[in-house]
């Protein structure tokens, strides 16, 4: 899977770009890096899935999202050399492509389009973060839960999403009890079907309407 970092590259250019990466395997449950670590590498998921999360002072975890095949994470520390703003953990057995800062600088001298693709990815994530801030600040819990489910769908985890309600609560910025009520409301509207440990999305379009307060 090409992924956004290799967008618009020819097959020959993509092969050249991949030669700058190292491959690393991570068993399920192994940390890729920890919040606060110094980092000078970005990662592309070749196989498997990685969970990104922050840990607050009280020890509470806030799940930021999941990245799957073709997707990128860890790019901020690559660019500015600062501490990792979040932790990354192999949610399942994963094979990652790792691009260190020195290799990145050499790569963009050969293929400047890589830097443009990375900038485009960062712009997209900034827009998404702005949208999420608005939702968290102004929308009711059901809308936030609907948006969290949509986010998991975009990350390739559907239509049957296997996630604990505590994980959905962390994504939606709500309590587990609130998520339980919101899921029941979404079920009554016909947007989802519920099973133990699983939420099946029946209507992404209806979820989107709920997320943005249209219904």
């Amino acid at each position: 899977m090409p992924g956004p970092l290799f967008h618009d590259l020819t097959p020959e250019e993509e092969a050249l770009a991949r030669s700058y990466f190292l491959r690393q395997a991570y068993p399920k449950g192994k940390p890729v890096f920890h919040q606060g670590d110094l980092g000078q590498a970005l990662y592309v998921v070749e196989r498997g899935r990685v969970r990104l999360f922050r840990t607050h002072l009280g020890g509470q975890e806030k799940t930021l999202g999941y990245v799957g095949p073709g997707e990128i994470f860890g790019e901020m520390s690559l660019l500015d050399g600062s501490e990792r703003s979040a932790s990354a953990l192999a949610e399942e057995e994963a094979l990652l492509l790792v691009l260190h800062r020195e290799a990145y600088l050499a790569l963009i001298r050969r293929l400047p389009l890589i830097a443009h693709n990375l900038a485009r990815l960062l712009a997209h994530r900034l827009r998404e973060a702005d949208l999420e801030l608005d939702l968290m600040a102004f929308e009711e819990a059901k809308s936030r839960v609907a948006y969290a489910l949509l986010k998991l769908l975009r990350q390739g985890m559907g239509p049957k999403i296997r996630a604990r309600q505590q994980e959905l609560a962390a994504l939606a910025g709500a309590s587990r009890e609130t998520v339980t009520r919101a899921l029941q409301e979404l079920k009554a509207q016909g947007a989802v079907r519920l099973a133990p440990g699983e939420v099946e999305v029946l209507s992404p379009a209806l979820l989107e309407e709920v997320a943005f307060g249209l219904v």
Side-chain angles (χ1 to χ4, degrees):
M1 170 178 301
L5 193 63
F6 305 119
H7 186 69
D8 285 340
L9 295 182
T10 66
E12 294 78 15
E13 289 172 332
E14 183 176 340
L16 172 62
R18 286 177 178 272
S19 71
Y20 285 79
F21 287 77
L22 302 175
R23 278 183 169 82
Q24 291 184 359
Y26 288 81
K28 180 179 179 179
K30 181 178 180 179
V32 180
F33 52 73
H34 296 281
Q35 180 178 332
D37 288 350
L38 288 177
Q40 292 194 334
L42 68 74
Y43 298 80
V44 178
V45 180
E46 188 162 81
R47 186 176 67 244
R49 194 167 304 278
V50 173
R51 180 169 72 97
L52 306 177
F53 62 96
R54 289 197 185 105
T55 304
H56 298 288
L57 290 177
Q60 182 182 7
E61 288 185 3
K62 162 69 174 174
T63 298
L64 303 176
Y66 298 83
V67 285
E71 296 183 302
I72 301 164
F73 65 98
E75 70 285 345
M76 290 174 60
S77 290
L78 169 82
L79 295 175
D80 66 9
S82 297
E83 295 179 352
R84 297 289 186 187
S85 60
S87 299
L89 180 80
E91 189 74 5
E92 56 190 57
E93 185 178 346
L95 181 62
L96 306 180
L97 302 178
V98 187
L99 183 66
H100 291 280
R101 181 175 175 81
E102 298 78 8
Y104 169 74
L105 294 174
L107 173 57
I108 62 175
R109 285 194 289 268
R110 297 283 301 276
L111 293 172
L113 186 56
I114 292 289
H116 173 73
N117 286 343
L118 186 56
R120 181 164 53 185
L121 174 70
L122 289 169
H124 171 75
R125 288 184 175 170
L126 181 59
R127 290 179 186 273
E128 194 171 64
D130 286 344
L131 176 60
E132 288 190 28
L133 284 173
D134 284 345
L135 284 170
M136 294 298 178
F138 301 112
E139 297 297 339
E140 63 180 17
K142 185 173 69 171
S143 296
R144 299 201 302 270
V145 172
Y147 185 78
L149 291 171
L150 285 173
K151 187 174 181 178
L152 292 174
L153 274 181
R154 290 198 301 270
Q155 294 168 353
M157 294 186 66
K160 293 185 177 182
I161 298 171
R162 299 198 61 82
R164 299 187 301 273
Q165 291 194 6
Q166 188 60 46
E167 293 172 329
L168 290 176
L171 279 172
S175 69
R176 187 166 62 180
E177 293 75 16
T178 299
V179 168
T180 299
R181 290 195 298 271
L183 287 174
Q184 290 297 332
E185 292 178 26
L186 291 171
K187 176 185 175 182
Q189 288 180 278
V192 302
R193 180 185 293 123
L194 303 179
E198 182 179 279
V199 180
E200 182 180 1
V201 176
L202 301 178
S203 175
L206 181 53
L207 270 187
E208 188 168 356
E209 290 179 353
V210 173
F212 293 102
L214 301 178
V215 294

